Amino acid sequence: MDNETIAFDAMANAYAPYSRFRVGAVITGPDGRPFAGCNVENASYPAGLCAERAALAAGIAAGCRTFRELVIATEAEVATPPCGMCRQALGEFGHELHITSVTTGGQRVTWRLSELLPMPFTPASLEHV
Ligand code: THU
């Protein structure tokens, strides 16, 4: 199964009863292995989790520390980039990640994480104390 199909399958399993904005994500490890995630909302709204960080956590739990590609799947009119918190979380593991956002309507947009987060706070930033 290709990564976009896996991302759409994860989107279909999203738990988003409050926003109704379902998101699926797939992040691939250095060997191309896919790790899927979806958004998981909560009655206590700030406790909700984005699809991108759910996928990232699955990849980390499998032992990956570098990633090749992130695919985001939504039903939105326009292909959506990852939120700011997810950009920061992804950036911990490299800024050259290729990010593609796809929609059920057939839109597709690709970015580099470095474009979306041009001035990151990195582990190296912590050394400047
Ligand atoms: N969401 C994601 O999962 N990824 C994003 O990049 C943006 C937003 C989720 C969070 C929330 O469950 C819903 O979409 C609406 O913001």
Side-chain angles (χ1 to χ4, degrees):
M1 216 190 305
D2 66 86
N3 293 330
E4 292 191 10
T5 303
I6 300 170
F8 280 119
D9 284 354
M11 182 199 80
N13 288 325
Y15 179 73
Y18 306 108
S19 72
R20 308 252 169 224
F21 190 83
R22 301 193 299 174
V23 186
V26 167
I27 197 162
T28 56
D31 60 356
R33 186 176 159 197
F35 301 97
C38 63
N39 54 334
V40 184
E41 296 185 349
N42 191 276
S44 175
Y45 294 177
L49 176 65
C50 289
E52 294 88 333
R53 276 175 293 130
L56 177 65
I60 293 294
C64 297
R65 293 295 183 269
T66 60
F67 298 95
R68 268 200 211 168
E69 188 196 6
L70 173 71
V71 177
I72 301 166
T74 72
E75 302 162 293
E77 290 263 311
V78 174
T80 53
C83 80
M85 189 183 287
C86 289
R87 295 178 199 193
Q88 178 65 29
L90 294 162
E92 182 80 6
F93 303 97
H95 290 84
E96 298 315 309
L97 184 70
H98 291 261
I99 300 173
T100 299
S101 184
V102 293
T103 71
T104 44
Q107 282 215 11
R108 181 175 285 93
V109 182
T110 297
W111 305 271
R112 280 286 182 110
L113 181 57
S114 53
E115 287 176 69
L116 300 179
L117 191 65
M119 199 179 291
F121 186 90
T122 70
S125 307
L126 293 172
E127 288 161 20
H128 303 300
V129 285

